[in-house]
Amino acid sequence: MAKALVQCRRRILPFLAPSRVWLDQPWEPSPWLLKSEAKSPHISCVRLMSTQVKPPAQTRQMGSLKVSMTSPGFVYDQYSARESLSFWYRWFTRSGWKRTKEDVVLELKSAYAIAKLRKSGYSKKKFYEEAVDLYKEINTQMANGDKGLLRKSVTENMYSALKNEIKHRETVWSSVYWELIMPIVKMRTLRARLIGVDRNDLNKVFVQLTLEFLSKQKFEAYDSNGAVVAGDKNKEVLVRDIWVFEKSLFHQGAYWRLCGRIKV
């Protein structure tokens, strides 16, 4: 029986590794981090936005969504780390089997979203290169307080939050030095989700990919007199960030933008 369970585990567990939804050294946190949005208890592979979230006024017309919207405005099914289970608890308890089923469902959602994304020409290697560039650009723009360039790299809701974050930071620090040490230490996809906006057209969806970045960075903050008040630009710090990137699969010329950051 134990041998059969081991074989079963080998067949199922590939779905449980971290991966890339129609509904009714010790690391340190990043110097600037935004808490992100709500979770969803649903199981379907695509979230129909109009069933759960009241859309902004400019996107409502005759009780239905216009598909001219550029972003859903929220992070769907926000990622959170799941507690590791021992082999015996997972396979010899009722709650362990229930948890295994939940884990498989979560991974199947991600697999469905990635399969949909690949039909639009998605390449993991190319996306990772774009994501690293965005990660560096956005952090640099945040450090420089460059709101104009920042607007192009993030969604509307994210821009509003980051603008307020920069404004608050400037009341504490006069200026900031930030540097990303290349290459990135580690990068992986944690979750992929689809958000539908038209019940009658399954191709009108947004995709959200949650990525984990582990990188070495240099950071230093200064007061109005130029004195160092935080950090040390001569010291490399290992930083872990979880960012959510979003892209429309039905707008021409759509590109990846940051839509959320998850507290680690």
Side-chain angles (χ1 to χ4, degrees):
M1 179 177 178
K3 182 178 180 180
L5 284 172
V6 170
Q7 291 174 343
C8 179
R9 181 173 183 263
R10 287 174 180 167
R11 289 195 298 269
I12 296 178
L13 287 187
F15 290 103
L16 307 184
S19 74
R20 340 308 150 224
V21 219
W22 201 253
L23 281 189
D24 293 327
Q25 320 173 48
W27 54 266
E28 296 185 8
S30 175
W32 35 77
L33 182 61
L34 177 72
K35 294 180 180 178
S36 201
E37 297 80 7
K39 300 180 181 179
S40 170
H42 300 283
I43 296 179
S44 301
C45 287
V46 181
R47 173 168 187 164
L48 178 59
M49 181 177 170
S50 58
T51 64
Q52 291 294 327
V53 178
K54 184 178 181 181
Q58 63 268 27
T59 65
R60 295 198 299 269
Q61 185 180 44
M62 300 299 290
S64 63
L65 277 177
K66 293 169 62 179
V67 295
S68 60
M69 64 185 303
T70 58
S71 172
F74 63 96
V75 174
Y76 170 52
D77 199 10
Q78 180 176 300
Y79 171 83
S80 61
R82 293 173 71 80
E83 181 184 359
S84 178
L85 301 181
S86 68
F87 172 82
W88 297 106
Y89 180 83
R90 182 181 288 278
W91 297 108
F92 289 93
T93 66
R94 184 184 299 273
S95 55
W97 277 99
K98 181 180 178 181
R99 165 64 186 278
T100 299
K101 178 183 176 182
E102 293 172 353
D103 289 344
V104 170
V105 168
L106 288 174
E107 293 306 319
L108 287 176
K109 288 183 182 181
S110 289
Y112 178 84
I114 291 296
K116 184 80 172 177
L117 187 57
R118 282 179 177 151
K119 292 181 179 180
S120 67
Y122 167 82
S123 162
K124 181 179 178 179
K125 180 180 179 181
K126 182 179 179 181
F127 169 66
Y128 274 19
E129 291 172 352
E130 290 182 40
V132 170
D133 288 343
L134 270 175
Y135 182 75
K136 184 176 181 179
E137 289 173 9
I138 292 171
N139 275 301
T140 300
Q141 291 157 7
M142 287 281 292
N144 297 337
D146 194 337
K147 303 183 186 72
L149 290 176
L150 186 63
R151 183 188 291 273
K152 301 176 183 178
S153 305
V154 303
T155 61
E156 292 73 16
N157 282 14
M158 196 68 197
Y159 174 72
S160 178
L162 294 182
K163 185 174 64 174
N164 292 334
E165 201 171 313
I166 291 173
K167 183 178 180 180
H168 174 72
R169 189 199 70 210
E170 289 175 343
T171 64
V172 181
W173 301 328
S174 178
S175 59
V176 169
Y177 172 87
W178 180 86
E179 180 184 352
L180 177 66
I181 308 302
M182 297 294 288
I184 294 288
V185 176
K186 183 181 179 181
M187 187 176 174
R188 62 172 178 155
T189 306
L190 300 176
R191 179 160 293 180
R193 293 293 182 264
L194 296 176
I195 303 173
V197 296
D198 189 341
R199 186 185 300 275
N200 299 316
D201 190 343
L202 300 181
N203 292 316
K204 291 179 179 176
V205 295
F206 289 89
V207 62
Q208 293 181 347
L209 296 185
T210 302
L211 295 189
E212 177 187 53
F213 296 91
L214 191 63
S215 64
K216 291 182 179 179
Q217 304 178 11
K218 293 181 180 180
F219 171 80
E220 196 168 85
Y222 311 93
D223 62 17
S224 57
N225 298 317
V228 178
V229 292
D232 182 352
K233 68 178 183 180
N234 297 312
K235 179 182 177 182
E236 294 182 359
V237 179
L238 194 61
V239 176
R240 178 180 178 238
D241 280 316
I242 298 179
W243 285 20
V244 184
F245 295 93
E246 178 183 285
K247 182 181 180 181
S248 166
L249 297 187
F250 61 98
H251 286 106
Q252 284 190 345
Y255 53 91
W256 291 103
R257 296 188 297 171
L258 176 67
C259 71
R261 293 184 295 171
I262 298 175
K263 186 176 180 179
V264 295

